[in-house]
Amino acid sequence: MSTQTSSTIQFPYKRTLGPVISRFFSELTAQRIVGIRSGDRVIVPPMEYDPETGNQLAEDFVEVGPAGTVVSWTWVAEPGKHHPLDRPFAYALIKLDGADTNLLHALDAGSEDAVSTGMRVVPRWRDEPVGRIDDIVAFVPGETPEGPAAGEAQDVQTMDYFSTITYTDVLSPTLERYAASMRAGVIKGQRCPQCNRVFLGRGYCSVDAIILGEEHEEALPDFGVVSNYTIVTPTPYPGQKETEPFARASVVLDGDEMVIAQQQIIGIPVSEIRVGMRVKAQWFPAAERDAAEITSKGWGTVAGFIEGWVHTGEPDEPAEQYMNRVF
Amino acid sequence: MGHEPVAVVGIGQTKHKKRRDDLSIAGLVREAAQRALDDAQMTWSDIDAVVIGKAPDIFEGVMKPELYLADALGGAGKPVFRVHTAGSVGGSTAIVASHLVSSRVHKRVLAVAWEKQSEGNAQFGLGGGKSGSIGAGGAFAPWIRAYIRKSGAPEHIGWQIAVKDRQNALRNPYAHLHLKDISIDKVRESPMMWDPLHFLESCPSSDGAGAIVLTDRAGGEAAAADGRPPAWVLGTSMRSEPSSFNGRDPIRPQAGVDCAWDVYKQAGITDPRRQIDVAELYVPFSWYEPMWLEGHDIAPVGEGWKMVDRGETAFDGSFPVNPSGGVLSSNPIGASGMLRFLEAALQVRGAAGEHQVDGARVALAQAYGAAAQYFAMWAVGSQLPSS
Ligand SMILES: [Zn+2]
């Protein structure tokens, strides 16, 4: 059975819309749809430039719709969580009255039988507009828009865009063995038969491009020397939990073959961390070791297995020979 | 039949700012591209192909933005290329565009590189979307410590560069930072962000774009005849190496040395310190100036900081570095390499205005990316190369 690890990345992006899309969204908050004139055509939603030539368009806005005609459509029988509606609906290309281009939007028509090319549709407006394309909740069949009475237009200059994505990694055989070995409290590296360099959970030599397998694996020491470090003053950003300066150190394992980057040094203030300091791994208790941080990007990590590194109390080693070893 | 000579005949950039809240992403790239077209006395329809570069898509959360931007850059019905080589991408974008001309695939190519950092957060992006990101500063700080320790450079070198580049930026109306009262004391007393790097030794976060129009020999000669001298491309190179292997020298990466000598050879340069008049080097953290002077054999190993200390890299020095104000003054990441490349072209065209270096005939531009492992460099000159 192969191990899968999963990770979610999310971020609240903030878009600046520029003069043309700002106007489009501002008008939407008052239940008006505007396009922009480009020669003889009216483009909806409006654009800053002619999409065929790249030429800048004058900001000559034209109100269109709100009713329009379905030009083409496809039925979504089983909507997922990212779809705009939670019941079966159509995605439709809609040519609004007065427009020369088609608008893509959801069409809430109840059943597939109720949808046809050439049918007339109108917006169902959102109760409380926010200045986004889903201020039109969906189009619906007919000639009379649905929703509350139109209010005053808001000045919409930006758009919040909350992005979230979840990745699933299936671990390679190399990483499977690496994770098993780390669970047992042993760091195993792979030694390249050509250049003799050691790599962690990578499965190949990044210098010689030789595939490395189980036969190239050997246990490495879990103690070594701090080769370099930085103390980071954290800046706030969504998801940032650090508030105080924190240190990240690189540790060269004894034998000078493997460097493990971005490690925490435990038990001393960050101001006392120094190059040449001898340290040993502090493993998490066996039951708490966790492979969640291991991904198939070709990088071994000790995160989830080794909590940090503690000073052994031995004398420091000369710094200069180690300082280049950071990653 | 040799390569077609390549001429830079149009140059444009945005006003770089912390937040260009007056523009969409399309508006941002078009501001730079339209200025480059105007400078080249061309219109969108004159362009045969478009090359777009930017750093990781996670910075703005727009995946494959080159698809969204194709028509914004007049690319309908034309070949459009995306380039992505991390921080070096602005330089790589210019080089890819130049190769489309030198190989005679296209005659007139528009290259645009950009970043709109204010839409997201680079610390977040560089930290893989997790808490505790060390950012670029945290990644480079240990190597900077190693350089300082090995070279024996005094700590004021970093402060001096931070001041010099910000003073140069005062000459450049497009630069993001205009720190009129910058001083050594201010740099030294600014917060320690990534020990040993102070806040004012670090680049800002910017929105911005840069664009160039490249054309062939006939196009370059026609522009020159019209009183608009082009910058001629004398040599281009891109090199890379893995970020992590035993024996790597991350302070003076071999890929950077090889990249430089590849360019020097093409440009007929045997003594870069004497034959290059001005250089735009990618210096997001002050200490990278001496590190690249040594990393590209402009100064002997261990001697780069002495060039700085003697004032040779100052605006009026014998080897000016970053007359534009550099990455330390404007950092729209994906565009930052392009800004180096287009500044080098501005200099040899004699079109750099207040930041024009007198007598600049040969200029070097460099950009690097990721773990100091991707390099892009070009040399440009005021004269058509003879070969
Ligand atoms: Zn090898």
Side-chain angles (χ1 to χ4, degrees):
Chain A
M1 191 196 80
S2 55
T3 306
Q4 296 189 346
T5 62
S6 138
S7 53
T8 296
I9 295 177
Q10 48 189 31
F11 193 83
Y13 293 98
K14 190 179 265 301
R15 306 245 167 274
T16 55
L17 299 171
V20 172
I21 298 298
S22 281
R23 174 70 180 267
F24 176 69
F25 283 153
S26 297
E27 296 283 354
L28 269 192
T29 63
Q31 299 187 358
R32 289 190 296 267
I33 305 171
V34 297
I36 197 166
R37 218 179 281 286
S38 176
D40 297 336
R41 301 196 307 158
V42 173
I43 298 172
V44 183
M47 298 180 73
E48 297 171 27
Y49 45 86
D50 184 311
E52 280 161 33
T53 63
N55 293 332
Q56 189 77 16
L57 296 177
E59 289 175 24
D60 182 2
F61 294 99
V62 182
E63 189 170 349
V64 298
T69 303
V70 171
V71 173
S72 186
W73 57 279
T74 185
W75 189 248
V76 181
E78 295 174 19
K81 64 177 177 176
H82 295 300
H83 282 112
L85 297 176
D86 59 5
R87 53 194 174 276
F89 69 99
Y91 271 125
L93 285 173
I94 299 159
K95 195 170 193 179
L96 296 170
D97 295 347
D100 293 287
T101 61
N102 303 320
L103 178 75
L104 175 67
H105 216 300
L107 171 56
D108 190 10
S111 74
E112 190 171 0
D113 296 343
V115 184
S116 60
T117 297
M119 74 185 286
R120 296 285 292 167
V121 294
V122 282
R124 172 187 294 143
W125 296 100
R126 179 200 279 267
D127 287 342
E128 307 228 340
V130 294
R132 237 171 30 201
I133 192 65
D134 58 355
D135 281 358
I136 299 172
V137 177
F139 281 80
V140 292
E143 296 286 347
T144 310
E146 296 180 6
E152 292 274 298
Q154 302 164 24
D155 182 20
V156 182
Q157 297 290 331
T158 61
M159 185 186 82
D160 293 331
Y161 167 57
F162 187 81
S163 173
T164 180
I165 186 165
T166 298
Y167 294 91
T168 301
D169 272 298
V170 179
L171 297 190
S172 67
T174 292
L175 284 170
E176 287 273 6
R177 289 193 305 276
Y178 174 75
S181 162
M182 291 298 282
R183 275 195 200 91
V186 177
I187 305 172
K188 262 192 187 169
Q190 295 178 311
R191 185 180 297 279
C192 171
Q194 188 150 317
C195 69
N196 213 35
R197 289 183 178 88
V198 177
F199 298 91
L200 218 54
R202 193 170 291 197
Y204 58 91
C205 169
S206 29
V207 176
D208 300 306
I210 290 171
I211 291 177
L212 303 177
E214 195 167 5
E215 67 276 23
H216 302 112
E217 287 168 10
E218 58 185 73
L220 300 173
D222 63 352
F223 45 87
V225 176
V226 171
S227 61
N228 217 317
Y229 66 95
T230 188
I231 299 167
V232 179
T233 301
T235 53
Y237 57 80
Q240 169 74 289
K241 297 185 188 99
E242 304 289 343
T243 54
E244 295 298 317
F246 61 94
R248 290 289 181 269
S250 300
V251 175
V252 175
L253 303 183
D254 270 18
D256 192 26
E257 293 184 308
M258 189 69 235
V259 60
I260 301 182
Q262 296 201 29
Q263 298 300 295
Q264 301 198 56
I265 305 298
I266 297 174
I268 58 168
V270 293
S271 58
E272 288 177 24
I273 295 172
R274 57 200 182 271
V275 176
M277 199 165 97
R278 288 201 55 82
V279 291
K280 64 178 187 215
Q282 179 164 310
W283 293 80
F284 282 114
E288 294 173 24
R289 291 175 196 159
D290 179 8
E293 297 284 334
I294 295 182
T295 66
S296 292
K297 290 180 195 132
W299 304 88
T301 175
V302 301
F305 302 102
I306 291 175
E307 191 179 356
W309 301 73
V310 292
H311 189 206
T312 62
E314 297 163 277
D316 287 5
E317 301 220 15
E320 275 65 23
Q321 71 180 100
Y322 296 110
M323 287 189 78
N324 275 11
R325 308 291 306 282
V326 176
F327 284 115
Chain B
M1 193 166 70
H3 294 301
E4 180 69 23
V6 180
V8 180
V9 294
I11 297 173
Q13 62 186 302
T14 57
K15 165 63 188 170
H16 313 297
K17 257 180 93 173
K18 182 175 182 60
R19 185 169 177 81
R20 284 298 303 265
D21 55 8
D22 56 326
L23 294 176
S24 63
I25 290 173
L28 184 80
V29 297
R30 285 173 58 80
E31 182 172 296
Q34 185 66 60
R35 287 174 179 167
L37 288 173
D38 291 348
D39 186 35
Q41 297 191 6
M42 291 187 194
T43 64
W44 297 103
S45 62
D46 293 319
I47 297 297
D48 301 327
V50 181
V51 185
I52 303 174
K54 77 172 297 295
D57 294 354
I58 194 172
F59 288 167
E60 292 84 5
V62 181
M63 299 301 123
K64 298 194 177 181
E66 64 277 12
L67 303 181
Y68 146 60
L69 292 174
D71 55 7
L73 291 171
K78 299 173 187 175
V80 176
F81 302 79
R82 162 78 185 274
V83 180
H84 182 10
T85 59
S88 70
V89 68
S92 309
T93 303
I95 291 175
V96 168
S98 80
H99 290 182
L100 292 173
V101 176
S102 67
S103 59
R104 299 191 178 86
V105 174
H106 297 296
K107 280 188 161 53
R108 290 167 301 273
V109 178
L110 171 68
V112 186
W114 63 279
E115 205 75 63
K116 202 160 186 311
Q117 282 215 54
S118 69
E119 308 240 330
N121 184 295
Q123 299 294 323
F124 160 85
L126 293 170
K130 293 177 182 167
S131 175
S133 169
I134 61 168
F140 294 128
W143 290 332
I144 288 168
R145 175 181 292 110
Y147 173 78
I148 294 170
R149 190 85 74 101
K150 285 186 166 188
S151 68
E155 58 184 346
H156 73 259
I157 296 297
W159 308 336
Q160 191 177 321
I161 293 159
V163 171
K164 181 220 15 148
D165 281 7
R166 271 52 173 271
Q167 285 175 338
N168 288 351
L170 294 174
R171 300 168 178 272
N172 181 357
Y174 296 107
H176 171 177
L177 295 184
H178 282 145
L179 306 176
K180 291 193 175 63
D181 55 353
I182 188 79
S183 68
I184 296 273
D185 286 347
K186 281 220 155 78
V187 177
R188 182 181 53 220
E189 286 157 22
S190 65
M192 188 66 89
M193 286 300 290
W194 298 281
D195 187 21
L197 283 170
H198 291 82
F199 177 74
L200 283 173
E201 290 178 278
S202 310
C203 54
S205 219
S206 315
D207 288 355
I212 53 175
V213 176
L214 303 105
T215 186
D216 58 3
R217 177 176 181 155
E221 288 179 334
D226 192 38
R228 294 177 288 116
W232 295 98
V233 177
L234 307 179
T236 66
S237 187
M238 288 187 267
R239 293 295 174 96
S240 60
E241 68 184 35
S243 62
S244 157
F245 59 89
N246 200 351
R248 180 179 188 225
D249 183 355
I251 316 304
R252 187 171 176 273
Q254 190 62 41
V257 177
D258 293 349
C259 189
W261 279 105
D262 189 18
V263 169
Y264 299 159
K265 192 175 169 208
Q266 294 168 45
I269 292 169
T270 52
D271 182 350
R273 172 70 181 79
R274 290 184 192 289
Q275 289 171 272
I276 294 167
D277 300 313
V278 55
E280 279 280 327
L281 306 178
Y282 202 100
V283 179
F285 303 100
S286 56
W287 284 95
Y288 265 99
E289 181 174 303
M291 288 165 75
W292 294 137
L293 290 172
E294 296 174 29
H296 303 317
D297 284 342
I298 295 162
V301 172
E303 304 272 315
W305 67 268
K306 295 177 186 168
M307 272 183 74
V308 176
D309 208 22
R310 290 191 295 260
E312 292 171 22
T313 61
F315 185 73
D316 57 358
S318 57
F319 192 93
V321 175
N322 295 333
S324 68
V327 184
L328 281 171
S329 303
S330 311
N331 186 33
I333 303 176
S336 291
M338 177 65 83
L339 299 180
R340 310 283 72 71
F341 276 54
L342 68 77
E343 174 72 17
L346 276 176
Q347 289 288 341
V348 299
R349 291 171 83 194
E354 291 287 304
H355 46 109
Q356 178 66 49
V357 170
D358 279 347
R361 290 186 181 81
V362 175
L364 180 71
Q366 173 259 29
Y368 81 95
Q373 65 191 116
Y374 305 132
F375 292 87
M377 298 177 77
W378 81 4
V380 289
S382 55
Q383 299 297 317
L384 176 69
S386 49
S387 58

